[in-house]
Amino acid sequence: MLERHEVETFLTLFEELHFGRTAERLHVSTARVSQTVRKLERRVGAPLFDRTSRRVEPTAVGRRLYERVRPAWDEIGAAFGEAVAAGRGLTGTLRAAFVGAAAAQLLVGVTGLFRERVPGCEVRVREAQWGEVAPWLREDRVDVALTTFPVDGPDLTTGPVLVREARVLAVAAGHPFARRATVSVEDLARVTVLPLLDTPETTPSGRPIVYGPSAATLNELLTLVGAGEGVLPVGAQTRRYYARPDVVYVPFEDAPQLEWGLVWRTETARVRAFGEAARDLLRAS
């Protein structure tokens, strides 16, 4: 039986045709490479390389051996890699959900990087509404979701904040606030607020906030805004992805930033790798 280091030494020397470079690639001494090749040649019973002080060339026996061993060795490496990935939970399918158009774009980038790193794992992406994220995770319909923080539930885990954005207030085009340059959180006590995200029950000074009708999707809520049914605090990216002639987005001057990140219920190797891809993608951008 051949030892692993013998196979690697033979294949590397055949490709490098230089004892020094072979030793560098294998992180061993040149003497070790020479000893290993001589040992192989004794076992084969014929030279595998013709070497002089100036050059190293494979013999006909060495060339035939390489042509048979190289594909088999690659197959062994690939099979072992697949076994390691399966053992670490990096095969199979990762089900990822996103909330909103901006999150969709980010998730596409994360998914691309993840697939490069973990080619043996399939990724399925689907859109969720804000109210669906926690139930989908608890019902095992998705493995991870890209959404806004906070997500309530002691059984759910939130990863690091990936993106922060300013908040704006969506108001009807004919609303008095539409003519203002900014609004404050205290202004919410003067209007009907449509429920979404993490709007509090009172303003910072303690004035109550009155809530209006709810809806299933962001587009439905914006339709209510345009119809004058209430105002809607949202992230600033909404201006780009949900531009409407009947809605004006007014910046908040004092609202805390909206935070986005990944949420999951069960941390698997796939989820960890996906989270690492998300952080690395944003760090590089």
Side-chain angles (χ1 to χ4, degrees):
M1 293 292 294
L2 293 176
E3 299 288 340
R4 174 179 175 177
H5 77 276
E6 293 175 327
V7 176
E8 291 180 340
T9 299
F10 168 72
L11 294 176
T12 305
L13 181 58
F14 188 95
E15 293 162 1
E16 293 291 344
L17 297 179
H18 191 281
F19 280 83
R21 290 194 297 270
T22 298
E24 290 178 5
R25 276 183 57 179
L26 298 177
H27 304 290
V28 297
S29 66
T30 304
R32 176 68 182 275
V33 174
S34 297
Q35 293 168 3
T36 301
V37 172
R38 286 198 298 269
K39 181 179 178 181
L40 282 174
E41 290 176 329
R42 285 196 298 269
R43 293 170 68 180
V44 170
L48 299 175
F49 298 93
D50 289 328
R51 49 259 203 201
T52 66
S53 59
R54 293 186 177 183
R55 59 187 298 181
V56 177
E57 292 288 343
T59 63
V61 173
R63 190 174 300 279
R64 285 196 298 271
L65 182 62
Y66 177 88
E67 291 171 352
R68 296 292 299 274
V69 171
R70 176 82 268 177
W73 191 245
D74 290 341
E75 285 289 329
I76 292 172
F80 186 77
E82 291 174 3
V84 170
R88 294 175 178 175
L90 290 176
T91 57
T93 301
L94 177 77
R95 301 161 300 170
F98 65 90
V99 177
Q105 278 205 330
L106 174 56
L107 202 64
V108 167
V110 175
T111 298
L113 180 57
F114 176 80
R115 283 172 171 157
E116 290 179 9
R117 295 179 172 182
V118 191
C121 183
E122 180 184 358
V123 182
R124 295 179 182 171
V125 177
R126 61 186 303 190
E127 182 178 11
Q129 303 303 321
W130 270 275
E132 294 174 330
V133 171
W136 282 11
L137 290 168
R138 292 190 178 105
E139 295 165 9
D140 195 33
R141 297 174 64 182
V142 295
D143 302 303
V144 64
L146 177 59
T147 185
T148 54
F149 293 164
V151 177
D152 295 330
D155 58 332
L156 301 180
T157 301
T158 56
V161 175
L162 297 176
V163 177
R164 291 181 174 87
E165 64 172 329
R167 299 188 194 230
V168 297
L169 186 65
V171 303
H175 195 280
F177 286 178
R179 297 188 294 272
R180 295 174 55 171
T182 61
V183 292
S184 72
V185 178
E186 288 295 331
D187 288 324
L188 297 180
R190 302 170 50 195
V191 293
T192 298
V193 179
L194 303 181
L196 185 68
L197 305 179
D198 56 345
T199 307
E201 296 182 357
T202 63
T203 67
S205 67
R207 300 166 65 192
I209 296 175
V210 176
Y211 283 94
S214 61
T217 69
L218 179 56
N219 271 321
E220 290 177 7
L221 286 167
L222 292 172
T223 298
L224 292 175
V225 170
E229 296 292 326
V231 301
L232 181 67
V234 291
Q237 49 82 21
T238 311
R239 293 179 295 190
R240 175 181 178 185
Y241 294 99
Y242 298 90
R244 300 171 56 114
D246 57 342
V247 175
V248 174
Y249 297 100
V250 186
F252 276 99
E253 61 189 30
D254 55 356
Q257 288 185 315
L258 190 61
E259 297 179 335
W260 291 78
L262 296 175
V263 181
W264 60 88
R265 185 181 184 189
T266 303
E267 185 175 31
T268 64
R270 291 188 293 267
V271 169
R272 285 194 298 272
F274 197 77
E276 291 170 0
R279 291 191 294 273
D280 292 346
L281 179 70
L282 290 170
R283 191 179 296 121
S285 61

